């Protein structure tokens, strides 16, 4: 049987639909976390004592309680909690313990002052202590516990490997060290694996993802066949050219990531604008959208306007600004 792995429930659902439409019945599609959780729950009684712990779907309330037990001063509003939760998630998927966090974060250039990193380290330790005391786990723990189970329990490891023979991984450039460690345990010494990815599209490096696993794939599997997909069907030549220029200037384009070519007709040339800060960016982008709507006089054009952002907090700011201007939004 084959296991197709991806990073979001939505993508896994799309993969299941495509597999079903192709008439493939001996394959399943899951996220790393979903696959690990099913295995952990199934084998829990064989590898661990006691009942399966409660799973935290959100870190917010646990973080508030944990921070209250420390001497750090953090206002418990959503952005602060989200920032701390993000750092804890980065540390755990990078296999960094609370007492190693400050040194690892400085080395990784996590762009925060040392005293802030020290506070996050305290919050991280308090959060782990609270979970242990209340017997709850988070989604990163699901991966860590599954890794530990497969490493320590040979019988379980062999049964899991018997269940899945072939593996495919979508968006492989976004795999984290912890996810790769789990994949290694699932795969064993076999070479029955196919990965799809683009090193230039590594968008989750801030969350612990590393394109190194993709770039070094053929070193680990020297018999692997490589297929370069260089034709773009979604963007105009102008957009593709801008992307190529950006990647070339960043030193990304090379043997592993060749230039793309657009198969579409020409369109408008993209405009690039830099802003001094987030507030100005949100304000001026919103003003540009209002101007576009005023020029056309047609609210139906809203379906043709999209704002792409790297973090949810950025989208929250845009949503608030646009709503204040009476412009309806849809957050995806």
């Amino acid at each position: 049987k084959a296991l197709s792995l991806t990073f979001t429930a939505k993508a896994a659902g799309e993969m299941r639909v495509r597999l079903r439409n192709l008439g493939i019945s001996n394959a399943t599609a899951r996220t790393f976390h979903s696959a690990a959780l099913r295995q952990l729950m199934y084998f829990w009684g064989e590898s661990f004592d006691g009942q399966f712990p409660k799973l935290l779907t959100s870190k917010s309330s646990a973080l508030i309680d944990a921070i209250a037990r420390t001497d750090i001063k953090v206002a418990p509003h959503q952005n602060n909690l989200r920032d701390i939760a993000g750092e804890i998630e980065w540390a755990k998927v990078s296999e960094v313990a609370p007492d190693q966090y400050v040194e690892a974060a400085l080395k990784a250039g996590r762009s925060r002052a040392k005293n802030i990193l020290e506070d996050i380290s305290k919050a991280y330790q308090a959060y782990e202590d609270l979970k242990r005391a209340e017997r709850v786990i988070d989604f990163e723990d699901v991966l860590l516990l599954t890794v530990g189970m497969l490493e320590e329990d040979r019988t379980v490891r062999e049964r899991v490997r018997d269940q899945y023979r072939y593996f495919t991984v979508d968006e492989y450039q976004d795999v984290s060290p912890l996810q790769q460690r789990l994949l290694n345990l699932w795969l064993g010494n076999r070479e029955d694996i196919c990965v799809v990815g683009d090193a230039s599209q590594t968008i989750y490096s801030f969350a612990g993802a590393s394109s190194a696993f993709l770039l070094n794939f053929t070193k680990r599997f020297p018999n692997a066949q490589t297929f370069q997909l260089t034709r773009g069907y979604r963007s105009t030549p102008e957009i593709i050219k801008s992307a190529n220029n950006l990647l070339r200037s960043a030193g990304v384009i090379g043997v592993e990531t060749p230039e793309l070519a657009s198969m579409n007709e020409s369109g408008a040339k993209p405009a690039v604008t830099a802003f001094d800060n987030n507030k100005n960016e949100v304000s001026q982008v919103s003003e540009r959208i209002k101007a576009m709507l005023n020029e056309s006089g047609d609210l139906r054009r809203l379906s043709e306007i999209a704002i792409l952002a790297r973090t949810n907090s950025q989208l929250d700011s845009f949503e608030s600004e646009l709503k204040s201007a009476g412009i309806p939004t849809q957050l995806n």
Side-chain angles (χ1 to χ4, degrees):
K1 192 172 181 178
L3 177 60
S4 298
L5 295 159
T6 187
F7 294 88
T8 67
K10 183 177 181 180
E14 176 65 23
M15 291 173 71
R16 283 192 289 271
V17 170
R18 294 187 183 190
L19 288 168
R20 186 167 59 247
N21 291 340
L22 290 170
I24 299 174
S25 59
N26 62 338
T28 187
R30 303 192 189 283
T31 64
F32 275 88
H33 290 90
S34 173
L37 180 60
R38 288 175 69 90
Q39 292 174 14
L40 190 64
M41 293 179 69
Y42 187 84
F43 292 108
W44 183 267
E46 299 181 32
S47 299
F48 300 93
D49 295 326
Q51 292 185 332
F52 191 82
K54 179 182 177 182
L55 180 62
L56 285 177
T57 56
S58 171
K59 291 183 174 65
S60 297
S61 59
L63 267 178
I64 291 173
D65 292 343
I67 291 170
R69 303 181 183 190
T70 70
D71 60 353
I72 66 174
K73 305 297 180 183
V74 177
H77 59 68
Q78 195 60 37
N79 285 345
N80 277 343
L81 293 175
R82 185 182 291 156
D83 190 45
I84 295 173
E87 287 302 297
I88 291 174
E89 288 164 10
W90 169 81
K92 295 180 77 168
V93 302
S94 301
E95 302 178 279
V96 173
D99 61 347
Q100 302 168 330
Y101 169 76
V102 175
E103 181 181 354
L106 288 170
K107 186 176 180 180
R110 299 297 287 177
S111 67
R112 289 170 176 81
K114 187 175 181 181
N115 65 311
I116 296 177
L117 297 178
E118 290 170 346
D119 282 348
I120 293 174
S121 178
K122 292 178 182 178
Y124 179 11
Q125 183 64 65
Y127 171 74
E128 293 298 308
D129 291 342
L130 181 144
K131 287 194 293 99
R132 193 175 299 109
E134 298 189 358
R135 196 172 171 76
V136 296
I137 59 175
D138 59 23
F139 283 107
E140 291 73 46
D141 292 327
V142 169
L143 299 182
L144 286 164
L145 287 168
T146 305
V147 164
M149 176 183 70
L150 295 177
E151 287 181 344
E152 297 297 325
D153 195 323
R154 179 179 178 181
T155 301
V156 171
R157 183 169 67 248
E158 290 179 348
R159 288 172 65 183
V160 169
R161 288 178 181 172
D162 285 342
Q163 182 180 13
Y164 294 112
R165 170 67 186 276
Y166 304 100
F167 294 86
T168 65
V169 186
D170 190 29
E171 305 291 357
Y172 189 55
Q173 75 278 355
D174 287 325
V175 74
S176 71
L178 181 57
Q179 289 167 332
Q180 181 62 52
R181 186 174 169 187
L182 179 57
L183 181 60
N184 291 344
L185 287 164
W186 284 335
L187 188 62
N189 294 324
R190 297 170 297 187
E191 296 187 350
D192 303 311
I193 182 170
C194 171
V195 301
V196 181
D198 180 353
S200 65
Q201 294 188 46
T202 305
I203 60 174
Y204 293 114
S205 56
F206 69 96
S210 173
S211 61
F213 302 112
L214 172 64
L215 295 174
N216 294 323
F217 186 81
T218 53
K219 294 179 182 178
R220 179 180 176 186
F221 301 100
N223 296 322
Q225 289 183 281
T226 301
F227 302 91
Q228 300 282 5
L229 305 179
T230 59
R231 301 180 189 179
Y233 295 88
R234 293 181 176 178
S235 301
T236 62
E238 289 78 9
I239 292 176
I240 293 291
K241 182 179 179 181
S242 297
N244 284 333
N245 290 339
L246 183 63
L247 294 173
R248 192 182 301 105
S249 65
V252 174
I253 284 180
V255 176
E256 293 85 0
T257 53
E259 286 196 5
L260 299 177
S262 174
M263 298 294 103
N264 293 343
E265 296 181 359
S266 294
K269 185 178 180 180
V272 179
T273 307
F275 300 98
D276 295 333
N277 52 59
N278 290 337
K279 184 176 180 180
N280 286 343
E281 180 183 33
V282 169
S283 175
Q284 293 188 43
V285 170
S286 300
E287 287 296 327
R288 177 59 181 147
I289 292 174
K290 285 189 282 185
M292 292 169 66
L293 295 176
N294 290 334
E295 289 169 8
S296 67
D298 187 358
L299 280 177
R300 288 177 298 181
R301 285 205 62 190
L302 281 172
S303 62
E304 301 175 4
I305 300 173
I307 299 174
L308 306 179
R310 183 169 183 173
T311 65
N312 288 330
S313 59
Q314 289 175 291
L315 290 176
D316 292 342
S317 299
F318 280 112
E319 183 181 33
S320 177
E321 182 77 14
L322 291 169
K323 282 186 175 180
S324 298
I327 299 174
T329 62
Q330 180 177 323
L331 195 62
N332 292 326

